[in-house]
Structures are given as structure tokens and as C-alpha cells.
Amino acid sequence: MVEGVWLWLTLLAIGSTTILTRGSFVLSGEGARLPPALQRALRYAPAAALSALITPDLLLDAGAFDPVNPKFAAGIVVALAAMRSRSPWLPFIAGMGVLLVLRKGLGW
Amino acid sequence: MNESFKRGAREGVRLMLPMSVGLIPWAIVTGVAMRSTGLSVVESLGMNLIVYAGTAQLGTLPLIAAGAPLWLIFVTALVLNLRFVIFSAALAPAFHGASWSKRLLSGYLLVDGLFVLCADRLLRADDPHWRWGFYVAPALLCWSMWQLGGIAGILGAGVFPKDWSLEFMTTIALMVMLVPMVRQRAMLVATLVGGLGAVLLRGLPLRLGVIAGIALGIAAGFVAERWTEKRRQAW
């Protein structure tokens, strides 16, 4: 866990990316343009980044590769809920529900 | 205050109201996620104010929890926010002639929903006063909803028992963002390669596996896009 002054520095660093990206062209003026190839590659950045953050949490159990674990089961339910329903709450209720039942109810 | 500024502000707020209310569940979840990662109430409120970007906030929480180095957290946040460079480039002409402080404020406030709903009319409008009202009023509405929802989540997080694995809310929130993105094959390839890359390369020092996975995912998506185009042309 990052703590204390380091945490605040970290928050400022994360916050600086908000200004750097959102402000980039708004601040530098309308003359600048983004190269088309870069623009196309950037389209894949959010999906790749989100997946790189999510997948280890779903497929690893205590650091070891183990796809048969409660979080992966809950993850499948979350994906189905997010695909099928427009309710913003359902994936959270369903995902946390499955995880809690498996961990606390069944002791997995 | 200028009459056309007020008119722009009213129209912008009316347009944004439904979507801004939709931010509240997200803000609450982000608030709960920050607290269950181990941030204090003040630190969580600070993060909501300083960063004001849900994806970057949720995405960096696992790295903060793991004690990852500062530069790695910075690069990950940068990648998660990269889509805003595209929005910023598209919106830039609408801020023609605006002061530097207005541009800085506009940059900080530029969230996804604002771009989706307002960009089109903003770029077609000629009156700079109307444009400023039409941008800044709905932008501040989104900001207020995000902060209010965040405060509710941050203060309400203590209601849940500690052993409820609430940190999993972060993963759920990131999944809910990811699922609607995966509509084409190239995007699916980027998602799978990014995710499995991060898992397979988890042994790299300094948690570099995450960045390596992201880079592989972007490259794979780009290659897959080229490949599907070529096949389509060959037919």
C-alpha cells in the first residue's frame, strides 16, 4: 500500500494525467492535429488497459494461476449482467452477491 | 452575466441532466472502492477532487494497494486517460480565443458524457458566450454530481463489514466499463491479449506486467484491425 506523503504525491501524479490528456489540445490550441495512425492505435488503449487490470484479479488466486476460483465465477456473472441488463446496479449486486455466497456461504 | 451565456448554460444543463444523474451510482461505487482499498476519508475526498476521472481512479487503486512505484501508477493512469486526447483534439476549435484559465478549467472538466452530448453543437456554434455557457454549466453539473455521489460512497463505505471483499467492487466497475467497448473483433483481440499478457507477465519486476500487457493489447488490436481489413479487401 502506498501511504502518507507518497500517497498524496501519487494522487497528484494521477491527477496530472487528467490535465495532460483532457487539456492537451484544448490548451495547446486548435492548430495541432493528431496523426491518424496514432489516433487509431489509441482506440485500443482503454480496452487493453482495463483488461490488463481486471484479468489478473479474476484469474489469479493468491498470486498463482487458478481460473477455478470464486472471483472468476463472480466475474462471469458480472459480464453477463453487464451485457444483458441496462441497470447500472445489477452487475454490482449480482457480482458481489455471487462472491459473498461462494466465500462466506460455501466457504470457498 | 451575458444573456447568451445564460441561454447556453440553460440549454446545456437541460441536455446534461439525465446523464449527470447517471454518474451518481458510479461516483458512489468509486467512493466505496477508494475506502475499501485503504485510503482515509480525507485521502479519498482528495483523490476525487484532484483526479476527477473514474476510470483512472478505479484503475490505479489495485496498484496503490500493491505499493507499485510512482512512475508505473502514472503511466497506467495516463493510458487509462488517453481517450481524452482524442476528445481534446476534437473539441479544441470550440475554445478559439478563450483565456488560458478558461481552457485549463475546461480541460479539467472534460468528461466522457460531456463530449458525447455537447461536442457536436459546441463546434457548430458561433457565439463564444453561448459556447462557454453551453460547456461550463453542464460540466460543473457533472462535477457536482460526481463529488456528491463520491462523498456518499466515501462516508457510507464504513457501513459494510470489513470481510465483505468490497475491493472486488473495483474489478466489477472496470468490467462494466469494458464490456460495452468489446463490439468488434479487433477490440476483442486487444482485450484478450491485454488481459492474458498481464497474467502471463505478472512475474516481471515492479509490476511491469500490467504495462507490458497493455502495450501488447494495443499492438494486437492494431494488427487485428489491419488483418480484417486486408481479408475484406481480398474478397
Side-chain angles (χ1 to χ4, degrees), chain B:
Chain B
M1 236 179 242
N2 188 296
E3 214 26 68
S4 61
F5 171 87
K6 281 191 209 157
R7 208 157 30 79
R10 255 197 312 275
E11 285 174 49
V13 166
R14 203 177 306 136
L15 185 66
M16 184 54 71
L17 201 56
M19 198 186 260
S20 68
V21 174
L23 284 175
I24 291 178
W26 280 108
I28 294 176
V29 167
T30 307
V32 173
M34 288 187 290
R35 292 287 285 123
S36 44
T37 300
L39 270 66
S40 71
V41 170
V42 177
E43 288 162 351
S44 304
L45 291 170
M47 187 180 207
N48 242 13
L49 280 173
I50 296 169
V51 182
Y52 183 48
T55 322
Q57 284 176 246
L58 290 165
T60 49
L61 284 178
L63 299 174
I64 290 175
L70 182 59
W71 69 268
L72 184 67
I73 298 177
F74 172 79
V75 173
T76 305
L78 196 62
V79 174
L80 287 169
N81 275 335
L82 270 183
R83 65 186 185 286
F84 292 124
V85 175
I86 298 172
F87 297 173
S88 191
L91 271 188
F95 295 95
H96 180 80
S99 69
W100 204 77
S101 53
K102 274 185 186 175
R103 285 169 189 252
L104 191 63
L105 179 66
S106 306
Y108 170 73
L109 291 174
L110 175 54
V111 291
D112 301 79
L114 197 63
F115 179 77
V116 171
L117 283 187
C118 298
D120 200 33
R121 289 182 64 190
L122 211 53
L123 290 167
R124 279 190 284 118
D126 294 321
D127 180 353
H129 296 291
W130 185 91
R131 277 204 309 252
W132 178 238
F134 188 71
Y135 183 84
V136 80
L140 287 172
L141 178 69
C142 288
W143 184 87
S144 313
M145 293 294 184
W146 182 261
Q147 300 303 333
L148 284 176
I151 290 169
I154 290 163
L155 297 180
V159 175
F160 301 99
K162 272 233 182 298
D163 61 345
W164 266 29
S165 318
L166 271 187
E167 71 289 346
F168 192 62
M169 297 268 277
T170 308
T171 300
I172 299 179
L174 296 173
M175 283 188 78
V176 174
M177 292 181 205
L178 176 61
V179 166
M181 287 182 192
V182 189
R183 292 256 180 263
Q184 319 143 282
R185 193 167 299 176
M187 206 58 95
L188 180 65
V189 170
T191 305
L192 290 177
V193 172
L196 293 175
V199 169
L200 294 175
L201 298 172
R202 67 182 180 282
L204 291 181
L206 304 171
R207 289 185 60 104
L208 267 172
V210 174
I211 297 290
I214 295 171
L216 286 175
I218 295 173
F222 199 61
V223 169
E225 181 188 300
R226 287 285 166 92
W227 201 56
T228 19
E229 264 173 20
K230 263 197 203 126
R231 273 213 325 204
R232 207 173 290 146
Q233 279 164 7
W235 280 14

Side-chain angles (χ1 to χ4, degrees), chain A residues 80-99:
Chain A
L80 287 174
M83 279 188 274
R84 293 292 161 86
S85 140
R86 309 199 105 238
S87 150
W89 295 108
L90 188 66
F92 292 97
I93 296 166
M96 287 310 298
V98 168
L99 186 68

Side-chain angles (χ1 to χ4, degrees), chain A residues 23-92:
Chain A
S24 55
F25 284 85
V26 167
L27 281 169
S28 65
E30 57 272 30
R33 288 285 294 273
L34 211 56
L38 186 62
Q39 199 158 1
R40 281 168 70 187
L42 285 186
R43 285 181 28 223
Y44 298 103
L50 289 174
S51 183
L53 290 163
I54 297 163
T55 316
D57 192 38
L58 295 181
L59 291 183
L60 302 180
D61 210 8
F65 181 75
D66 180 14
V68 190
N69 74 70
K71 280 201 265 186
F72 188 62
I76 292 172
V77 174
V78 170
L80 287 174
M83 279 188 274
R84 293 292 161 86
S85 140
R86 309 199 105 238
S87 150
W89 295 108
L90 188 66
F92 292 97

